[in-house]
Amino acid sequence: MGRRPVKPASEGRRTIGIDIGGANLKYVCTDGNAASYPFAMWNRSSELTSSLVDHLSQFLPASSWAVTMTGELADCFLDRKTGVEFIVDAVCEAARRIGSQPSFAPEIRFYGVDGRFHRADDAKRLFEVVAASNWHALASQVAKTIAGDATLVDIGSTTTDIIPLRKGRVATSSMTDFQRLVGQSLVYIGCRRTPVCALVDRLWFNGASSRIMNEWFATIDDARIVLGIEPEHPDDCESADGAPRTVARSANRIARMIGLDQTFVSVEQAAKLAVQIMDSAKREIHSAFDAIDQPRGPIVISGHGRDLFDVPEDREVIDLSTELGGEISRCAPSWAVANLWADRSKAALVRKGRPSCDVS
Amino acid sequence: MGRRPVKPASEGRRTIGIDIGGANLKYVCTDGNAASYPFAMWNRSSELTSSLVDHLSQFLPASSWAVTMTGELADCFLDRKTGVEFIVDAVCEAARRIGSQPSFAPEIRFYGVDGRFHRADDAKRLFEVVAASNWHALASQVAKTIAGDATLVDIGSTTTDIIPLRKGRVATSSMTDFQRLVGQSLVYIGCRRTPVCALVDRLWFNGASSRIMNEWFATIDDARIVLGIEPEHPDDCESADGAPRTVARSANRIARMIGLDQTFVSVEQAAKLAVQIMDSAKREIHSAFDAIDQPRGPIVISGHGRDLFDVPEDREVIDLSTELGGEISRCAPSWAVANLWADRSKAALVRKGRPSCDVS
């Protein structure tokens, strides 16, 4: 759990933003608490409901859960429709288990790339709108509250989002994952999970250019650890070979990419390989950035992979982690979706004298 | 088990060739029997000894086991030294379990890229020579018995070997995996396991160029199944998402690479994506082929991924599966190492009047 409540909210108006990703479950409450848990959807989808119950029970009861997702694309689901249905049902079931009395059951809404919130049934029907919506939630909230004319560059563990914002709104017509891959506002490169074999075809070693082994032997995480960008985590074995996330083991994993190993590749030599891997990732992200039509405002940088993006010298930078604090910024889409819903409810309350329920 | 014995051999002279790979265990006996079993070393190394015992018990007792390997590079092993030691010990333990009386215990030798056979202790000491040796065994035997001046192109499930043969011998100075990746006689592309995200950065779909999702959502196997090059295997779920190897599911897996799925991508559309994936693999293999200095003799083509290589029109082709029969050609390195050892033993017998034991 993160920081203590920063702006105590009555239970009646407390909203928890929930970001159900393919590799993590992230939560931010409007009372200022935040939490993030690794969750490999493709292996553990059957545990989703119980994990949600476990995690959400650690927050104070909230009147609303605002949900955004990308986890529906995990290949444990036949297709995105099935994935959205599964996730929506899991959230509703988690709410039933947590809120045993109707008065305690949270109101649940699912955010869509149409910028609106949808009830469970509508979310399932509009699965294309609700799928892969977390980038839109973050971009909308940043546009509303941080910088109305800007470019959001959000580099997470798996992907990079590059979103132009104009006049306080998301300014792209690319909405689905496919449209965004075509338009390059989605680059499927992040700072943790991206496999080395997807980043480079060859690596220079000892003056020779080697083809690589197309195996999941190493990820970009290993390059960042070897280069000291990411600290060592000796107790964490969430790596390609299941060995610890240490410099020595990361160097060994990288060496494997060219048919070698620690016996023949020193950490210093592995660092030279790591630089090539990082350079390739940076090049791809920059090429996408350059292809996107953007306003001349600041760049709002977000996510823990910001080292993968060298900000152009002529652009002002706003660091979302400075704005929000590290804990919440690690769960930025959850922060966004919680506040988008809370603000919307507040506005509806002012407008109609009661909370709005029919939003879809 | 494969064909019945074609040239019955007395137990005294029967040799089983064993190819211990990273994804398969393959066996060929000089009596003509052959067998191949999937074996994911990276997940199942602890079962190696018992699997060897199970598989080898199905062959008639042999006086010799001739072993070649590539499985030592699986990332369940810290490094190749550890991998070679583990595999050598597993083979010796399997022999102990099978041959309860010394007279039945097979003589065991490990093939090296020096073209020699090594006893267990020497194999462990010379781990660099014994590691990744199966290409050399096959190339040597082809050079000796099929075509002395030729190019061997062997395309398996995971890799492609392109080996020049001259005057009945392997004619390359690249011996280790790293040297061969640099020299391009090893291309880490095969017909089954290669992930799509290692083959393409973008795919054209409906007139648009899409970046791809760098996930292990699909492999080249899916492209071959969708295109009808590989038949459907509805009962086989050894696929990226664990769903059956059918056209419909392969098309769905390929669609995922660009953020879509079966809801939006027909099998016909997936076939257009599959062609791009196959073209990329073929281009890489051809570019390596063109980079290798070769004799003007025939091309000996081997392995079940031969569709990935369009033979240049001016080169004669010898198909190893026609020469050996389908069953044995699927286990070609096992066939090679068995016969290399058997012929060597025979020669020694003639020379010295008794079988030779000290070969390293």
Side-chain angles (χ1 to χ4, degrees), chain A residues 50-286:
Chain A
S50 59
S51 297
L52 288 167
V53 169
D54 284 354
H55 302 163
L56 286 158
S57 301
Q58 296 176 49
F59 286 81
L60 293 171
S63 60
S64 313
W65 291 357
V67 183
T68 184
M69 65 179 79
T70 55
E72 78 289 336
L73 68 74
D75 67 1
C76 53
F77 305 120
L78 173 63
D79 50 28
R80 289 169 303 144
K81 182 171 187 293
T82 313
V84 169
E85 288 169 356
F86 183 93
I87 290 171
V88 168
D89 286 342
V91 173
C92 293
E93 175 60 21
R96 271 191 290 276
R97 290 196 201 165
I98 285 183
S100 53
Q101 296 175 42
S103 60
F104 286 105
E107 181 175 54
I108 303 174
R109 290 297 183 278
F110 297 87
Y111 187 76
V113 291
D114 55 357
R116 306 179 72 185
F117 284 92
H118 305 276
R119 291 166 177 277
D121 284 352
D122 293 325
K124 291 201 247 182
R125 191 170 48 81
L126 302 168
F127 69 92
E128 262 222 295
V129 170
V130 164
S133 61
N134 72 356
W135 68 274
H136 194 284
L138 177 59
S140 290
Q141 182 66 4
V142 166
K144 279 183 186 165
T145 63
I146 310 273
D149 290 272
T151 305
L152 171 66
V153 178
D154 180 27
I155 308 181
S157 62
T158 308
T159 58
T160 296
D161 294 309
I162 305 167
I163 316 294
L165 313 173
R166 292 183 210 272
K167 298 181 182 171
R169 290 173 164 274
V170 174
T172 170
S173 59
S174 302
M175 290 292 157
T176 67
D177 275 344
F178 172 67
Q179 290 166 350
R180 295 181 346 101
L181 287 165
V182 170
Q184 307 205 53
S185 60
L186 171 59
V187 182
Y188 214 93
I189 292 174
C191 65
R192 179 79 195 269
R193 295 184 55 245
T194 310
V196 170
C197 69
L199 288 172
V200 293
D201 294 323
R202 291 164 176 275
L203 286 169
W204 282 92
F205 183 75
N206 278 357
S209 169
S210 172
R211 283 177 175 274
I212 61 153
M213 292 190 157
N214 288 321
E215 297 276 3
W216 215 278
F217 281 159
T219 67
I220 196 169
D221 184 50
D222 295 307
R224 292 174 83 246
I225 288 172
V226 164
L227 294 174
I229 299 166
E230 177 74 21
E232 293 191 294
H233 304 275
D235 298 329
D236 182 354
C237 291
E238 284 284 327
S239 63
D241 61 359
R245 294 174 66 205
T246 58
V247 169
R249 287 307 191 95
S250 285
N252 191 40
R253 284 188 283 269
I254 291 174
R256 267 196 200 113
M257 296 304 307
I258 50 171
L260 295 173
D261 55 49
Q262 57 170 17
T263 319
F264 296 87
V265 179
S266 67
V267 168
E268 290 67 33
Q269 288 173 312
K272 291 184 184 168
L273 298 171
V275 166
Q276 298 170 61
I277 294 162
M278 291 293 284
D279 281 351
S280 171
K282 287 181 181 181
R283 246 190 332 267
E284 285 300 315
I285 291 171
H286 244 291

Side-chain angles (χ1 to χ4, degrees), chain B residues 59-127:
Chain B
F59 286 82
L60 293 171
S63 60
S64 313
W65 291 356
V67 183
T68 184
M69 65 179 80
T70 55
E72 78 290 336
L73 68 74
D75 67 1
C76 53
F77 304 121
L78 173 63
D79 49 28
R80 289 168 304 144
K81 182 171 186 294
T82 313
V84 169
E85 287 168 356
F86 183 93
I87 290 170
V88 168
D89 286 341
V91 172
C92 293
E93 175 60 21
R96 270 190 290 276
R97 291 196 201 165
I98 286 183
S100 53
Q101 295 175 42
S103 61
F104 286 106
E107 181 175 55
I108 303 174
R109 290 296 183 279
F110 297 87
Y111 187 76
V113 291
D114 55 357
R116 306 179 72 185
F117 284 91
H118 305 276
R119 291 166 176 278
D121 283 351
D122 292 326
K124 291 202 247 182
R125 191 170 49 80
L126 301 168
F127 69 93

Side-chain angles (χ1 to χ4, degrees), chain B residues 334-357:
Chain B
S334 311
W335 159 79
V337 78
N339 283 286
L340 285 168
W341 175 251
D343 292 348
R344 191 192 159 85
S345 301
K346 241 181 282 169
L349 200 63
V350 170
R351 221 166 41 235
K352 304 185 188 173
R354 60 176 178 79
S356 165
C357 290

Side-chain angles (χ1 to χ4, degrees), chain B residues 134-328:
Chain B
N134 72 356
W135 68 274
H136 194 284
L138 178 59
S140 290
Q141 182 66 4
V142 166
K144 279 182 186 165
T145 62
I146 310 274
D149 290 272
T151 305
L152 171 66
V153 178
D154 180 28
I155 307 181
S157 62
T158 308
T159 58
T160 296
D161 293 309
I162 305 167
I163 316 293
L165 314 173
R166 291 183 211 271
K167 299 182 182 171
R169 290 173 163 274
V170 174
T172 170
S173 59
S174 303
M175 290 292 157
T176 66
D177 275 344
F178 172 68
Q179 290 166 349
R180 294 180 348 100
L181 287 164
V182 170
Q184 307 205 53
S185 60
L186 171 58
V187 182
Y188 214 93
I189 292 174
C191 65
R192 179 79 195 269
R193 295 184 55 245
T194 311
V196 170
C197 69
L199 288 172
V200 293
D201 293 322
R202 291 164 176 275
L203 286 169
W204 282 92
F205 183 76
N206 277 357
S209 168
S210 172
R211 283 177 175 273
I212 61 153
M213 292 189 158
N214 288 320
E215 297 275 3
W216 215 278
F217 281 159
T219 67
I220 195 169
D221 184 51
D222 295 307
R224 292 173 83 246
I225 288 172
V226 164
L227 294 174
I229 299 166
E230 176 74 20
E232 293 191 293
H233 304 275
D235 298 329
D236 182 353
C237 291
E238 284 284 327
S239 63
D241 61 358
R245 294 174 66 205
T246 58
V247 169
R249 286 309 191 94
S250 285
N252 191 39
R253 284 188 282 269
I254 291 174
R256 266 196 202 114
M257 295 304 307
I258 50 171
L260 295 173
D261 56 50
Q262 57 170 17
T263 320
F264 296 87
V265 178
S266 68
V267 168
E268 290 68 32
Q269 289 173 312
K272 291 184 184 169
L273 298 172
V275 166
Q276 298 170 61
I277 294 162
M278 292 293 283
D279 282 351
S280 171
K282 288 180 181 181
R283 247 190 330 268
E284 285 300 315
I285 291 170
H286 244 292
S287 132
F289 179 85
D290 288 341
I292 289 175
D293 181 41
Q294 300 168 43
R296 291 300 306 159
I299 290 173
V300 181
I301 189 112
S302 168
H304 49 295
R306 64 199 63 192
D307 57 276
L308 287 171
F309 182 67
D310 297 322
V311 179
E313 285 185 8
D314 60 341
R315 297 285 292 268
E316 183 200 342
V317 178
I318 298 174
D319 189 330
L320 203 63
S321 71
T322 310
E323 299 291 315
L324 301 183
E327 195 84 32
I328 289 180

